[in-house]
Amino acid sequence: MNRFFTALIALALAGCASTPDDRGLQGFATAQARNRQVALSGVMLVDTAQTVTIARSPECLHEANPLAAAVFGSSHPSPQRVLVTNALYIGGHWALGSWLDRRAEAPIDLTVDPLQDIARHNRWRTLRSIYQIATGIGQYKADQSSYQK
């Protein structure tokens, strides 16, 4: 039952990252980017529940991901620390992802040279793609080393 509430709280906090220029996509310019973020948030919620399990079983399990252990301050973090840290991470990731998506899909600027505008759009789209790929790889690697007995 506690895992359900953990996931529910983290999901609610992730939704708080909507921006003032919300276009009905929770701050995203494209549904595709929003759907990727929703899927990734689901994976992050599962990871949060798994890390809370680690936190509740310090005699049997420990956080094997050195980066996560450094962020949590210990390889045996408290459940509260895990929930707060991961809620901030999910919310920050949502905000950054939606900002990059809006920048990549910004309207054409008629005040500059068309080639400059195309180059600007391409730079933002490339940065957004790199961000999405790096996030996927990072989450995969974190899941591979999430806990050990």
Side-chain angles (χ1 to χ4, degrees):
M1 186 64 124
N2 287 335
R3 287 184 184 174
F4 172 75
F5 289 116
T6 300
L8 187 62
I9 289 169
L11 184 62
L13 289 175
C16 293
S18 294
T19 56
D21 62 341
D22 195 333
R23 299 178 183 138
L25 297 171
Q26 296 171 327
F28 287 86
T30 61
Q32 182 183 19
R34 191 238 10 244
N35 292 343
R36 277 193 208 115
Q37 185 63 46
V38 168
L40 183 62
S41 294
V43 171
M44 290 176 181
L45 289 174
V46 170
D47 184 53
T48 300
Q50 187 179 44
T51 307
V52 168
T53 300
I54 292 168
R56 290 187 178 152
S57 305
E59 64 283 345
C60 298
L61 304 171
H62 72 276
E63 178 62 60
N65 182 342
L67 179 60
V71 169
F72 295 135
S74 163
S75 61
H76 298 289
S78 71
Q80 296 83 4
R81 177 75 185 247
V82 170
L83 291 173
V84 169
T85 302
N86 285 7
L88 290 172
Y89 175 64
I90 292 169
H93 197 281
W94 189 284
L96 181 59
S98 66
W99 179 77
L100 279 172
D101 188 51
R102 287 191 314 274
R103 295 294 294 191
E105 299 299 325
I108 295 171
D109 185 0
L110 298 175
T111 63
V112 298
D113 178 51
L115 293 178
Q116 288 178 335
D117 197 45
I118 290 169
R120 180 181 59 88
H121 271 83
N122 287 339
R123 283 192 302 271
W124 282 111
R125 287 181 178 147
T126 300
L127 185 60
R128 177 181 60 183
S129 296
I130 290 169
Y131 177 72
Q132 290 170 344
I133 291 167
T135 297
I137 291 170
Q139 192 63 39
Y140 173 77
K141 287 188 180 231
D143 288 344
Q144 293 300 308
S145 67
S146 59
Y147 67 91
Q148 295 177 347
K149 290 186 178 185

